[in-house]
């Protein structure tokens, strides 16, 4: 059995690169702008290049939770994927009991679409998943104060 440090090392040196190289997804570190301390990650998975659809996933360090980091990182990733990369749809799936992830999805601009019964698993076993999605038309334009005053 791997230790947590070995798990992290494997993720950073092997697993994340394998996902990117396979075209399945890409993962980004979320860091504190002042200290560069790791606060979490956000990334894409299950990317369908033909349909231009992907799924977002994230985690936030326990000490950094409750600050809106997951929502902010997810919103930035959605903007990049849908506007800059011209994807059509981004999905997010959260366990029905994971209210923090559901709140982050809504705060990031995602819309709740439905429940996939027995579709996921967590450390306690099988769970239902709530599906959220966002489309390019759902994105709020970047705040451009210079244009607003002209």
């Amino acid at each position: 059995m791997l230790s947590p440090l070995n798990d992290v090392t494997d993720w950073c040196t092997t697993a994340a690169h394998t996902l990117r190289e396979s075209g399945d997804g890409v993962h980004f570190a979320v860091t504190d702008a002042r200290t560069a301390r790791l606060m979490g990650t956000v990334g894409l998975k299950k990317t369908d290049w033909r349909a231009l659809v992907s799924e977002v996933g994230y985690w936030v360090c326990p000490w950094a939770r409750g600050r809106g980091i997951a929502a902010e990182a997810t919103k930035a990733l959605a903007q990049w994927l849908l506007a800059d990369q011209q994807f059509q749809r981004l999905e997010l799936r959260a366990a029905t009991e994971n209210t923090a992830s559901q709140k982050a999805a809504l705060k990031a601009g995602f819309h709740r679409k439905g429940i996939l019964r027995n579709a996921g698993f967590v450390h306690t076993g099988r769970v239902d998943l709530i599906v959220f999605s966002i489309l390019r038309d759902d994105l709020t334009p970047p705040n451009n104060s210079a244009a607003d005053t002209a």
Side-chain angles (χ1 to χ4, degrees), residues 89-140:
R89 176 182 173 94
L90 181 59
E91 295 183 354
L92 186 154
R93 297 172 186 209
T96 54
E97 299 295 317
N98 190 342
T99 56
S101 278
Q102 294 171 45
K103 287 177 185 176
L106 294 171
K107 190 173 179 183
F110 283 69
H111 299 272
R112 183 182 165 138
K113 293 296 159 192
I115 296 177
L116 298 172
R117 294 178 55 216
N118 201 33
F121 58 92
V122 295
H123 62 280
T124 57
R126 305 282 321 168
V127 295
D128 294 346
L129 297 176
I130 300 174
V131 178
F132 295 86
S133 69
I134 190 169
L135 309 176
R136 189 176 315 127
D137 290 345
D138 298 328
L139 297 175
T140 55

Side-chain angles (χ1 to χ4, degrees), residues 6-63:
N6 287 341
D7 289 345
V8 170
T9 301
D10 180 62
W11 173 254
C12 292
T13 60
T14 305
H17 296 288
T18 300
L19 287 171
R20 181 183 46 78
E21 291 167 0
S22 73
D24 184 45
V26 61
H27 295 269
F28 301 94
V30 178
T31 60
D32 183 292
R34 291 176 291 121
T35 65
R37 184 177 183 194
L38 180 68
M39 299 174 83
T41 68
V42 65
L44 301 172
K45 57 186 176 180
K46 301 177 186 171
T47 301
D48 182 335
W49 288 92
R50 186 170 181 198
L52 297 175
V53 173
S54 194
E55 182 181 337
V56 63
Y58 50 79
W59 63 262
V60 177
C61 296
W63 62 266

